[in-house]
Amino acid sequence: MAVQEEQTRNRKRQWGSERRSEPLSIMHPAPSVRKVTWGRLAIVATVVFWLIYVVTTIVRQFLENSGGFRFTMEAVGYLVVVSFLTFSALMYLLARQGALYRFRDHVRVPRAELDRHFRDYDSAVTVLVPSYAEEPAVVRGTLWSAALQEFPNVRVVLLVDDSPVQNDPAERARLDATLRLPGEIEAALEGPRSRFAGARAQLQAERDAGAEVDRNHVTELAADYEAAAIWLEDMAENEPMEDHVDEFFIDQVLMGLASELRLNLLALRASIDQHSYPDIDRVLELRIRLERTFTAELRSFQRKSYASLSHEANKAMNLNSYISLMGRSWREEQTAGGVVLRAVDDEDDADLVVPDSPYLLTLDADSLLLRDYCLRLVYFLEEPGNERIAVTQTPYSSFRGAPTRIERIAGATTDLQHILHQGMSYYGATFWVGANAVIRKQAVEDIVEVENVGGFEIATYIQDRTVIEDTESSIDLGTHGWTLMNYPERLSYSATPPDFGSLVVQRRRWANGGLLILPKLWDQLRERRFRRERVLMRELWLRVNYMASIAWASFGLLFLLAYPYDSRLLSPVVFLAALPYFLAMGSDLRDCGHRFSDIFRIYGFNLILLPVNLAGVLKSIQQAITGEKIPFVRTPKVKDRTAAPVIYVIVPYLIIAFSLVTFVRDFYAQNWGNALFAALNASLAAYATWMYVGVRNSIVDAGLGILNWLYVDKKKAPAGPSYVVDPNKPVDWSSILYHGDRRLNRDLRRKGDRRRRVGAR
């Protein structure tokens, strides 16, 4: 470990990056009465100052002087912008307050209660890990974190979405390495699993025969716990540590589990020294836990190997394709259109048997779970009163120790979102966040939509109409009477883009789709009211804000930046209305291990992301008009930097330049409020561009963008279908019989028409 720690320290880090690599505690600290009280006062202050502004500025200006048509339109427009931005700030404070209540009231379930609940448990959870063009090392960590879950029956399926046919040798090697991962992990687990399974079976037989616990039983159990801890520590010792994610995997996934096993070892040795032993049922539970920790079935699946499954290029259909196969047996049939799957009743006749399970765990290939994620979340779903909870999750946190400035500040916004999602659960406004979640399979079967495509049934459990499929599915589940709930602990972590180019891809996807889903929310409200369910306004406000705030905040900020509003509309009260929001955010950042001053960095960060968010919103509007799906663009996960599109590199500089021009104009016009706002925007946007994008990187990306725009590929004629008759090739009779002759006749007719035109000349 000393060598690995030295390698970690010697990695090149940017100035201003994060030095701390230890994650926050699993349990959120209980907030003090003072903190809860200040949170309530912040909500009241925001509303009061907004009302004061409306009365003392807007209404007063209308009463004292009319100002003409232009002033009236400016006043209305400015009031609308300020009101929407204040509403978003108020929703932040409201969700934050709900999170404080949950953190204050949450009591962790004792480990013994979990062991007792799952002692004779025979249900399973299927972990689905969708992967596309991922580095094998990234996927490996995710699979290990899933395989080491302390759950009775874990089946991990890697859903590889790469094309099965790879012509590039490097891509073929990467794909082969990825496909080997499940087998390698399962083989590595077999040694400890078989040892602990044999010891558990022997103890169970003795218990059934009426044996009592003696010193030997506890001594042997302690030896096995020590052996398990040593096995994990040896693995951690041999793990490469190339970045902070590897460090987290070693310290928190492997060593964290080893430390918990050693804690049990400490208790067992104390029991031996004190000659006071746990009863045989508890010893058996500890044996079962040890066995299950190292027991997992791992498989890989490639939906694009089968012509009968959807090949839509998005994560949702990758998940849907496998879920649609669960609980049935399938025979592979070779056709001219490719391999198709036919359902069969007898497993002996099947080429593919897909077991069913009452729970699904969806896990992004760049995420890591802590050891008892499955155990605690499934226990929560099975508690009395939670029968209608469809999805539970711990909204992911960021990996600490980010080596780049932009990853650190983006990770800070991720940690804030974790708090807000926890608070939204307090008001019944939970949204599924797609990086990880435990799903009740019965719930997704309730919202399934089946259509016939090319003669094959395609089942859609998770909608792929937008690129934020988890948000839309949350609304669908609510329409069918299901609820969602976030578990108030930190048990999952996910990667944050380390450079501006990859962050652009992620945030543009996040900004797309919310407006399209809003009509579904009204449908859900109508259905719930029809069922006589009580729908509180605060839930509706939080849901609307979550789906549409990016749209109105982006356009509102654009208007504030670009339009020279009359100075009579400005008032210090507007600043006072926003002050509680920024103070609360600074406090939350500090509680999450960041800096209070990051509120200014995040503001500048959002300024340079303004064109990205606007692009996502405009894509939503385009999709609403055209009715076409927006392509799902995955966030690049590469070691090298991802180049950003030229428009997103240039616009931050335009924001800086325009803000400086506005400052000079308002300074000489003695419009001090607008001048101060413009100076703040120019300063923070310049800082963010320099720190998070980089002048050199901007020049490189702009140059690449211009070259790509000037360079035009020579277009090649598309290859004709295999069933078109070519006099130099034998007739593909199998394609003709499978597809029919309609397209063949059409192609031949076109070919004949061309021949007739040639002959006429």
Side-chain angles (χ1 to χ4, degrees):
M1 293 298 290
V3 175
Q4 293 176 345
E5 291 173 358
E6 184 66 25
Q7 291 174 350
T8 304
R9 286 192 293 269
N10 291 337
R11 285 200 308 268
K12 185 178 180 181
R13 306 179 68 87
Q14 287 185 345
W15 172 79
S17 61
E18 190 172 26
R19 300 294 175 182
R20 168 182 174 170
S21 60
E22 299 83 13
L24 299 174
S25 63
I26 292 175
M27 287 287 292
H28 295 271
S32 64
V33 175
R34 179 182 176 185
K35 191 177 187 69
V36 172
T37 303
W38 277 111
R40 292 173 180 170
L41 292 176
I43 295 173
V44 174
T46 301
V47 176
V48 169
F49 283 125
W50 177 81
L51 289 173
I52 291 174
Y53 170 75
V54 172
V55 173
T56 61
T57 303
I58 303 298
V59 175
R60 177 187 172 191
Q61 289 295 336
F62 279 126
L63 292 177
E64 290 185 353
N65 48 72
S66 62
F69 177 77
R70 177 177 176 179
F71 177 78
T72 301
M73 296 305 296
E74 283 188 16
V76 172
Y78 192 76
L79 178 61
V80 169
V81 170
V82 169
S83 297
F84 272 108
L85 295 178
T86 303
F87 178 77
S88 291
L90 184 64
M91 291 302 100
Y92 178 96
L93 295 173
L94 184 64
R96 173 183 184 269
Q97 194 68 12
L100 295 180
Y101 295 147
R102 298 195 74 207
F103 300 157
R104 178 192 63 188
D105 299 336
H106 177 64
V107 178
R108 201 164 206 236
V109 179
R111 182 63 208 219
E113 293 301 319
L114 297 175
D115 291 341
R116 184 173 294 107
H117 179 82
F118 289 104
R119 183 177 63 191
D120 301 319
Y121 198 81
D122 58 358
S123 295
V125 61
T126 300
V127 184
L128 302 179
V129 184
S131 166
Y132 176 77
E134 306 280 359
E135 292 292 332
V138 174
V139 180
R140 178 178 175 274
T142 302
L143 294 179
W144 266 112
S145 75
L148 290 173
Q149 288 297 303
E150 304 172 23
F151 194 80
N153 191 354
V154 177
R155 187 170 191 268
V156 184
V157 184
L158 177 62
L159 305 179
V160 182
D161 220 18
D162 304 62
S163 173
V165 179
Q166 296 286 345
N167 296 322
D168 185 353
E171 290 299 311
R172 180 73 252 176
R174 181 193 55 76
L175 178 59
D176 290 341
T178 302
L179 292 173
R180 286 194 301 268
L181 289 173
E184 293 172 355
I185 295 173
E186 192 171 330
L189 289 172
E190 179 56 29
R193 186 208 66 80
S194 59
R195 170 180 174 174
F196 303 141
R200 188 268 311 158
Q202 181 180 348
L203 179 65
Q204 196 155 15
E206 293 179 12
R207 170 183 171 256
D208 294 341
E212 296 293 334
V213 172
D214 58 23
R215 183 185 180 91
N216 290 335
H217 288 114
V218 181
T219 302
E220 291 171 1
L221 179 60
D224 281 347
Y225 265 83
E226 184 175 23
I230 291 173
W231 189 91
L232 290 166
E233 290 161 356
D234 288 344
M235 178 179 174
E237 182 72 29
N238 295 317
E239 284 291 306
M241 188 185 292
E242 298 181 359
D243 56 24
H244 60 303
V245 179
D246 294 337
E247 184 178 358
F248 181 93
F249 174 70
I250 293 170
D251 290 345
Q252 303 301 320
V253 177
L254 298 179
M255 295 301 294
L257 178 55
S259 298
E260 201 162 291
L261 295 176
R262 285 200 174 275
L263 185 62
N264 282 270
L265 175 61
L266 176 65
L268 292 171
R269 285 178 172 170
S271 170
I272 295 171
D273 294 340
Q274 298 169 20
H275 304 286
S276 175
Y277 312 126
D279 60 42
I280 194 163
D281 286 336
R282 184 61 182 138
V283 172
L284 180 60
E285 288 169 1
L286 292 171
R287 280 271 177 215
I288 291 172
R289 176 187 178 185
L290 200 58
E291 176 190 356
R292 288 172 173 174
T293 300
F294 294 91
T295 301
E297 178 185 352
L298 290 93
R299 297 289 182 270
S300 62
F301 181 79
Q302 293 177 280
R303 60 164 174 149
K304 292 179 179 177
S305 298
Y306 302 104
S308 54
L309 299 180
S310 171
H311 288 196
E312 288 279 349
N314 57 65
K315 182 177 74 173
M317 292 312 298
N318 191 11
L319 293 167
N320 289 332
S321 295
Y322 190 83
I323 296 173
S324 67
L325 302 178
M326 293 182 66
R328 303 177 70 182
S329 302
W330 304 86
R331 185 180 69 248
E332 296 180 358
E333 181 179 312
Q334 183 69 48
T335 70
V339 179
V340 300
L341 293 173
R342 308 286 188 192
V344 294
D345 296 328
D346 190 353
E347 290 188 7
D348 295 335
D349 296 333
D351 299 306
L352 177 66
V353 178
V354 184
D356 204 0
S357 67
Y359 300 106
L360 305 172
L361 194 167
T362 58
L363 179 63
D364 281 2
D366 60 349
S367 300
L368 295 176
L369 303 177
L370 296 188
R371 46 203 168 273
D372 49 358
Y373 178 96
C374 281
L375 210 62
R376 294 189 177 275
L377 269 61
V378 172
Y379 179 86
F380 173 75
L381 289 176
E382 296 189 347
E383 283 186 300
N386 293 344
E387 293 81 4
R388 294 301 295 176
I389 295 180
V391 178
T392 185
Q393 61 187 350
T394 61
Y396 64 90
S397 300
S398 63
F399 294 114
R400 308 314 292 262
T404 63
R405 292 182 291 265
I406 193 169
E407 183 175 354
R408 187 189 77 80
I409 208 67
T413 63
T414 296
D415 293 335
L416 291 177
Q417 286 297 317
H418 172 90
I419 296 174
L420 297 185
H421 280 288
Q422 295 287 7
M424 290 168 71
S425 287
Y426 182 81
Y427 302 108
T430 310
F431 278 96
W432 174 10
V433 184
N436 67 88
V438 175
I439 307 165
R440 205 184 296 268
K441 188 166 180 285
Q442 178 189 350
V444 294
E445 288 172 346
D446 276 359
I447 64 173
V448 66
E449 295 179 4
V450 181
E451 61 179 338
N452 192 290
V453 179
F456 301 104
E457 283 191 353
I458 303 298
T460 301
Y461 301 88
I462 304 167
Q463 289 294 330
D464 68 329
R465 189 169 62 100
T466 68
V467 293
I468 49 173
E469 70 287 336
D470 44 8
T471 301
E472 185 168 4
S473 297
S474 302
I475 302 299
D476 292 338
L477 290 166
T479 303
H480 287 75
W482 293 95
T483 60
L484 302 90
M485 185 64 68
N486 290 321
Y487 196 74
E489 296 182 11
R490 293 189 184 93
L491 296 173
S492 62
Y493 289 77
S494 192
T496 304
D499 58 79
F500 185 67
S502 55
L503 187 73
V504 163
V505 176
Q506 183 194 70
R507 297 304 171 98
R508 185 172 55 189
R509 187 175 69 245
W510 287 4
N512 172 249
L515 295 178
L516 293 171
I517 302 170
L518 267 178
K520 275 196 169 186
L521 177 60
W522 311 132
D523 295 339
Q524 184 200 108
L525 293 175
R526 186 170 58 250
E527 288 291 328
R528 292 172 64 184
R529 285 170 178 159
F530 179 77
R531 295 194 299 263
R532 306 285 186 180
E533 292 184 24
R534 188 183 180 191
V535 181
L536 298 179
M537 287 303 298
R538 60 193 185 186
E539 176 193 344
L540 178 60
W541 293 342
L542 286 166
R543 289 193 182 278
V544 171
N545 180 71
Y546 183 78
M547 290 186 283
S549 62
I550 289 181
W552 69 54
S554 298
F555 282 110
L557 185 56
L558 181 64
F559 281 118
L560 292 179
L561 286 171
Y563 190 83
Y565 285 101
D566 194 296
S567 60
R568 290 175 292 175
L569 298 174
L570 303 179
S571 170
V573 182
V574 175
F575 170 75
L576 292 177
L579 186 60
Y581 163 74
F582 286 107
L583 292 177
M585 180 189 292
S587 175
D588 294 338
L589 287 167
R590 193 166 50 200
D591 291 344
C592 292
H594 301 285
R595 308 163 194 168
F596 189 93
S597 59
D598 283 340
I599 57 175
F600 301 106
R601 297 181 182 91
I602 289 175
Y603 183 86
F605 175 77
N606 288 330
L607 276 178
I608 65 174
L609 286 178
L610 178 61
V612 179
N613 291 331
L614 285 172
V617 173
L618 293 175
K619 275 291 184 181
S620 293
I621 298 173
Q622 174 193 339
Q623 184 176 351
I625 296 173
T626 64
E628 296 181 354
K629 291 181 182 179
I630 300 300
F632 183 92
V633 182
R634 293 171 171 85
T635 306
K637 303 178 185 71
V638 296
K639 297 293 184 183
D640 299 326
R641 190 178 69 86
T642 302
V646 62
I647 185 67
Y648 303 124
V649 174
I650 293 176
V651 170
Y653 290 94
L654 296 180
I655 292 175
I656 298 168
F658 186 82
S659 297
L660 289 173
V661 170
T662 302
F663 168 73
V664 173
R665 181 194 63 200
D666 290 329
F667 180 83
Y668 284 109
Q670 297 185 354
N671 192 350
W672 305 118
N674 280 340
L676 180 62
F677 183 65
L680 178 68
N681 289 327
S683 302
L684 294 181
Y687 175 85
T689 303
W690 173 49
M691 296 290 280
Y692 306 142
V693 183
V695 177
R696 180 179 178 182
N697 291 339
S698 300
I699 296 172
V700 172
D701 292 351
L704 288 174
I706 294 172
L707 286 176
N708 291 334
W709 179 63
L710 294 175
Y711 180 78
V712 179
D713 273 330
K714 183 178 180 181
K715 292 185 177 180
K716 297 180 181 179
S722 61
Y723 44 79
V724 175
V725 175
D726 186 333
N728 299 320
K729 294 182 179 179
V731 173
D732 188 353
W733 60 268
S734 60
S735 293
I736 296 174
L737 294 179
Y738 183 76
H739 291 288
D741 62 354
R742 180 178 60 83
R743 285 177 290 181
L744 175 65
N745 289 339
R746 180 190 63 194
D747 292 329
L748 287 176
R749 183 169 59 253
R750 290 176 179 173
K751 190 173 182 180
D753 290 342
R754 287 195 295 271
R755 286 175 178 172
R756 282 193 293 273
R757 287 196 293 272
V758 171
R761 287 197 295 269

